[in-house]
């Protein structure tokens, strides 16, 4: 046919071409919906800001406290101690303090807001393929097929575990974080102080943060002691000095208590960096020689300097989850069991869906492409269900029919209790909520004329009308 | 997504577009990671059984081996990566906001290589390689299309 100029479409750029082609979608819907980005349907427990540029763990933990303490202590230092010290000593004191402070804040923010090395979950095709391999390799026996795989790394036997949530065998050194509900590469630990997991991609930021923080706290501690000493020499002793500068005492207390833990942590992590270990491995004793057998860390380079260089200065792999990529809307028809269902369905949508419904719908469509139909195949009984059928397809891999919660919009009769907690905002949240198997809908069941099919077959694709 | 990719792929070939659109996906083969050398990104070069009737084993191994070499280049530890790391540390890692890392540059190279391979070798055989980065560097996904009138090459 025509030899048009070919450009391989990068799925990440698919969005740009799609925005132009969205008018050609086979539906009567207005071209008002925007394309969804992948972060909006991300299945883990993460929060995203700035349209996917920034991410962190779901519970920010005590990150505000961490930031608050640092700001308050540094603020008090610059306001009350620095003027005295600049007079008496040198102007470099606030300069050094300032540099350290900026470094601490920047590394803290980077640790919190960077993707720690999350592995995207396996797509259904892959998951099926892996399952098949597991079944084939297991002996026809009475026990369930093994969910671990043993491999040899540098002549050391390492067991790879199968992750049931992410549906894949975890690569070595990867662990599943229960707080964030993600598999993270080179998982170190989940740090509540920074509100994020610490893994392959942000470990060096974390290390830089704790080291610079230990320098900062020691520096402030030293300066405050100097300040109080100098003041008490000049005037009427220590009591007067404290009365003149009460803020210094506050700083002293904060620094004194933080120094022990921060210095300890820095020392511990320095040891980990030098031996190329993670906190997770160290705590579990994965490579300790106490086990009696000849097991050492297979990842170490047996040289402190090399280990440090590798861990701290090695290349940072890019984020694998492609937060800002666009979801292709073209896959929507796949989620409906028969192609013919889609058009009539769509036209009814215009009349029946509110904007929120449209959003939910899109989200479902998007999700369905990501998580195809892993739920039990239910055949929609009637074509005109539409919104419901679309919504349904969204589902959620892990549990059987979850309906995307749609408060207020759903007028549907629920066969089972559904917790409709989210929804009107946070599309991402609704995607998240779809994971929960228990959803309770309090609205009374009423049948919609265009949706005869409802949850009559509960366990399958449940259809919830979103209106 | 694969359908879109596939369609666009072939728009440059001499096949009629109708033929290609009708090509159905028969199955998918997943080439898993090879962890025997550690956590570096490396794929198994074992030739999958499903492709035996479709393509040459040598060609497949060569493709995978080249990919492995490219990934090794991305993750290589050496003067350049250390320099990048130290510079980044000194600027409190803000340099990543304006500079593309070496790894990202190699990933672009890999994407280009895969595109070339698809164009020259795999598409005419009714196969399509998916860039592993789109699968989180877990697998190399090879989509096998129905072998229809793709006889003329």
């Amino acid at each position: 046919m025509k030899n048009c100029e070919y450009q391989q479409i990068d799925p990440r750029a698919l969005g740009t071409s799609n925005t132009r082609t969205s008018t050609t979608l086979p539906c009567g819907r207005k071209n008002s919906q925007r394309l969804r980005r992948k972060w909006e349907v991300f299945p883990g427990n993460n929060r995203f800001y700035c349209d996917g540029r920034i991410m962190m763990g779901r519970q920010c933990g005590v990150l505000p406290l961490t930031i608050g303490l640092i700001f308050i202590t540094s603020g008090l230092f610059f306001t009350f101690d620095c003027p005295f010290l600049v007079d008496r000593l040198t102007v470099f004191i606030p300069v050094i303090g300032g540099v350290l402070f900026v470094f601490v804040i920047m590394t803290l923010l980077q640790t919190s807001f960077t993707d720690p090395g999350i592995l995207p979950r396996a797509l259904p095709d892959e998951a099926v393929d892996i399952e098949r391999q597991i079944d084939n390799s297991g002996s026809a026996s009475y026990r369930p097929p093994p969910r671990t795989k043993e491999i040899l790394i540098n002549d050391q036997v390492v067991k790879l575990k199968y992750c049931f949530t992410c549906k894949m065998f975890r690569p070595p050194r990867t662990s599943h974080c229960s707080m964030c509900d993600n598999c993270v590469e080179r998982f170190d630990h989940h740090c509540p102080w920074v509100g994020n997991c610490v893994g392959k991609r942000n470990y060096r930021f974390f290390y830089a943060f704790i080291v610079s923080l230990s320098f900062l706290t020691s520096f402030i501690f030293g300066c405050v002691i100097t300040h109080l000493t100098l003041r008490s020499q000049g005037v009427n002793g220590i009591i007067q000095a404290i009365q003149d500068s009460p803020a210094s005492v506050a700083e002293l207390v904060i620094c004194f208590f933080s120094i022990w833990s921060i210095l300890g942590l820095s020392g511990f992590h320095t040891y980990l960096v030098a031996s190329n270990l993670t906190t997770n491995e160290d705590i579990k004793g994965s490579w300790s020689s106490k086990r009696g057998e000849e097991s050492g860390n297979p990842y170490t380079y047996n040289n402190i300097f090399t280990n440090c260089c590798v861990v701290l200065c090695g290349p940072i792999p890019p984020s694998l989850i492609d937060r800002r990529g666009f979801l292709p809307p073209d896959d929507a028809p796949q989620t409906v069991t028969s192609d013919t269902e889609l058009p009539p369905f769509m036209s009814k949508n215009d009349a029946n869906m509110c904007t929120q419904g449209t959003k939910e719908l899109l989200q479902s469509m998007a999700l369905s492409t990501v998580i195809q139909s892993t739920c039990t195949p239910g055949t929609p009984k009637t074509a005109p269900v539409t919104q419901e059928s679309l919504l349904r397809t969204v589902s959620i891999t892990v549990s059987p029919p979850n309906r995307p919660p749609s408060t207020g919009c759903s007028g549907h009769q629920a066969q089972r209790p559904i917790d409709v907690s989210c929804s009107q905002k946070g599309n991402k949240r609704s995607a998240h909520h779809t994971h929960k198997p228990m959803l309770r809908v309090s609205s009374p069941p009423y049948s919609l004329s265009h949706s005869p099919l409802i949850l009559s077959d509960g366990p399958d694709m449940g259809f919830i009308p979103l209106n | 997504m694969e359908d879109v990719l596939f369609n666009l792929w072939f728009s440059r070939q001499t096949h009629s577009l109708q033929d290609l659109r009708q090509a159905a996906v028969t199955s998918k083969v997943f080439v898993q990671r090879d962890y025997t050398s550690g956590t570096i990104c490396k794929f198994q070069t074992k030739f999958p059984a499903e492709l035996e009737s479709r393509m040459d084993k040598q060609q497949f191994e060569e493709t995978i081996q080249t990919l492995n070499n490219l990934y090794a280049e991305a993750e290589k530890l050496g003067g350049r990566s250390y320099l990048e790391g130290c510079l980044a540390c000194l600027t409190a890692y803000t340099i990543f906001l304006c500079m593309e890392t070496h790894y990202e540059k190699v990933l672009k190279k890999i994407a280009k290589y895969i595109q070339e391979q698809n164009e020259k070798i795999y598409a005419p055989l009714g196969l399509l390689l998916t860039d592993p980065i789109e699968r989180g560097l877990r697998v190399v996904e090879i989509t096998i299309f129905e072998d229809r009138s793709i006889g003329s090459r």
Side-chain angles (χ1 to χ4, degrees), chain A residues 6 14 16 19 61 101 103 110 122 124 157 207 234 239 255 309 317 386 413:
Chain A
Y6 169 75
L14 211 51
T16 45
T19 43
F101 172 72
F103 202 84
Q110 276 162 341
V157 173
Y207 184 74
I239 308 292
C255 287
C309 284
T386 69
Q413 162 178 21

Side-chain angles (χ1 to χ4, degrees), chain A residues 213-454:
Chain A
L213 188 62
S214 36
F215 278 121
L216 181 68
T217 42
S218 320
F219 182 74
I220 291 182
F221 191 73
C223 287
V224 168
I225 298 268
T226 314
H227 174 202
L228 289 176
T229 313
L230 290 175
R231 221 183 248 273
S232 61
Q233 276 173 357
V235 205
N236 306 337
I238 188 82
I239 308 292
Q240 185 61 34
I242 292 176
Q243 279 174 352
D244 285 340
S245 179
S248 306
V249 179
E251 291 167 52
L252 213 58
V253 168
I254 295 176
C255 287
F256 182 75
F257 287 112
S258 332
I259 268 190
W260 299 114
S261 40
I262 305 272
L263 275 178
L265 199 60
S266 303
F268 175 62
H269 276 280
T270 307
Y271 156 70
L272 289 181
V273 164
S275 22
N276 203 336
L277 276 175
T278 63
T279 307
N280 202 31
E281 285 165 358
D282 189 70
I283 287 180
K284 285 188 188 163
S286 315
W287 315 119
S288 83
S289 48
K290 285 182 263 186
R291 288 202 175 166
E293 13 174 288
E294 199 49 64
S295 69
N297 181 6
Y299 311 108
T300 180
Y301 291 83
N302 290 317
N303 177 329
I304 291 180
F305 183 66
T306 316
N307 281 338
C308 290
C309 284
V310 167
V311 176
L312 301 176
C313 301
I316 298 187
S319 174
L320 296 174
I321 56 178
D322 188 28
R323 308 186 285 281
R324 289 179 41 82
F326 286 102
L327 288 163
D330 303 320
D331 294 330
Q334 289 173 9
T335 63
V336 185
T337 51
S338 80
D339 289 336
T340 53
E341 291 182 20
L342 192 54
F345 161 106
M346 290 299 207
S347 50
K348 287 188 190 197
N349 277 346
D350 287 340
N352 300 320
M353 281 166 60
C354 60
T355 351
Q356 180 56 30
T358 315
K359 282 185 191 166
E360 297 276 12
L361 192 61
L362 261 186
Q363 181 190 324
S364 340
M365 280 159 55
L367 246 188
S368 58
T369 65
V370 175
I371 305 169
Q372 283 174 2
S373 32
T374 43
C375 43
T376 59
T379 46
K381 310 290 186 0
T382 349
V385 171
T386 69
Q387 330 173 284
E388 293 151 32
S389 50
L390 269 195
L391 268 189
R392 225 346 163 205
T393 37
V394 162
S395 301
I396 307 350
T397 50
V398 238
S399 36
N402 279 331
R403 323 208 208 136
S406 46
T407 3
C409 284
S410 116
H412 212 51
Q413 162 178 21
Q415 299 295 331
R416 24 195 197 115
I418 311 181
D419 260 338
V420 184
S421 38
C422 84
S423 66
Q424 304 299 326
K425 45 182 174 171
N427 300 319
K428 162 192 73 67
R429 299 285 201 104
S430 28
H432 170 66
H433 281 281
T434 51
H435 281 277
K436 309 223 192 306
M438 296 302 292
L439 296 178
R440 191 175 10 128
V441 123
S442 47
S443 53
Y446 37 93
S447 50
L448 301 166
S449 53
H450 63 280
S451 48
L453 165 81
I454 306 264

Side-chain angles (χ1 to χ4, degrees), chain A residues 163-233:
Chain A
C163 181
F164 286 89
T165 313
C166 304
K167 303 237 186 298
M168 59 176 176
F169 277 100
R170 284 184 213 135
R173 306 194 101 172
T174 301
S175 194
H176 191 94
C177 175
S178 47
M179 306 263 296
C180 303
D181 203 24
N182 291 314
C183 270
V184 177
E185 281 191 287
R186 203 183 183 279
F187 180 72
D188 196 85
H189 66 286
H190 181 99
C191 186
W193 294 94
V194 304
N196 198 6
C197 287
V198 176
K200 182 157 135 186
R201 297 184 75 245
N202 64 352
Y203 185 71
R204 66 195 67 196
F205 306 142
F206 176 75
Y207 184 74
F209 166 62
I210 55 175
V211 167
S212 51
L213 188 62
S214 36
F215 278 121
L216 181 68
T217 42
S218 320
F219 182 74
I220 291 182
F221 191 73
C223 287
V224 168
I225 298 268
T226 314
H227 174 202
L228 289 176
T229 313
L230 290 175
R231 221 183 248 273
S232 61
Q233 276 173 357

